[in-house]
Amino acid sequence: MTEKIIQEDLQGLGGWLILVGIGLVITPIRGVFTYFPLYKDIFESGAWDVLTTPGTSAYDPFWATYISLEIIINVGLLIAMVYLTYLFFTKRKQFPKFFIGIAVFSLVFIIIDASSIKIVLPNEPIFDPDTLKELIRTLVAGVIWVPYMLRSKRVKATFIH
């Protein structure tokens, strides 16, 4: 009886889950305002043409694949974050696993994305200040929230639908 009362007290989007919810709402908005202007500028400034047209000074056959994959993956992550937010607010039992999957994928993607730039820019550092900041932010978030999703009684009591 006492365990049932405790479990009922832990149900709902309260406690530390409030911070998770805030992050879930902010992350897609941040993504839209960060990535879309960047990608728009690549195409409007003519950078895409300079990087992907044979014979131009900055041409490398890898650029088209690199930029295209980065755009596709970031748009996919944006869509996944919107879906994750839906899972969160509807308290679906898939939420914790999907959250962990996105957290791990995001960390791996940042590392692979930063490392792959060495193919076309071998003299550039793998982690420029912005990439390093994003890597640290993603790593810290993962170190905090993945164990929380795996061990929290509130998570287990809330995401049951």
Side-chain angles (χ1 to χ4, degrees), residues 21-85:
I22 292 168
L24 289 172
V25 170
I26 291 172
T27 299
I29 295 168
R30 181 177 163 265
V32 167
F33 285 103
T34 299
Y35 294 114
F36 287 153
L38 173 68
Y39 297 142
K40 182 180 174 193
D41 186 50
I42 287 172
F43 293 103
E44 287 183 352
S45 71
W48 173 262
D49 295 330
V50 171
L51 295 171
T52 61
T53 303
T56 59
S57 61
Y59 172 74
D60 188 292
F62 181 67
W63 275 123
T65 303
Y66 176 81
I67 294 169
S68 298
L69 281 175
E70 186 173 285
I71 291 170
I72 290 166
I73 291 170
N74 279 320
V75 169
L77 276 171
L78 181 64
I79 292 167
M81 288 302 297
V82 170
Y83 180 65
L84 184 63
T85 304

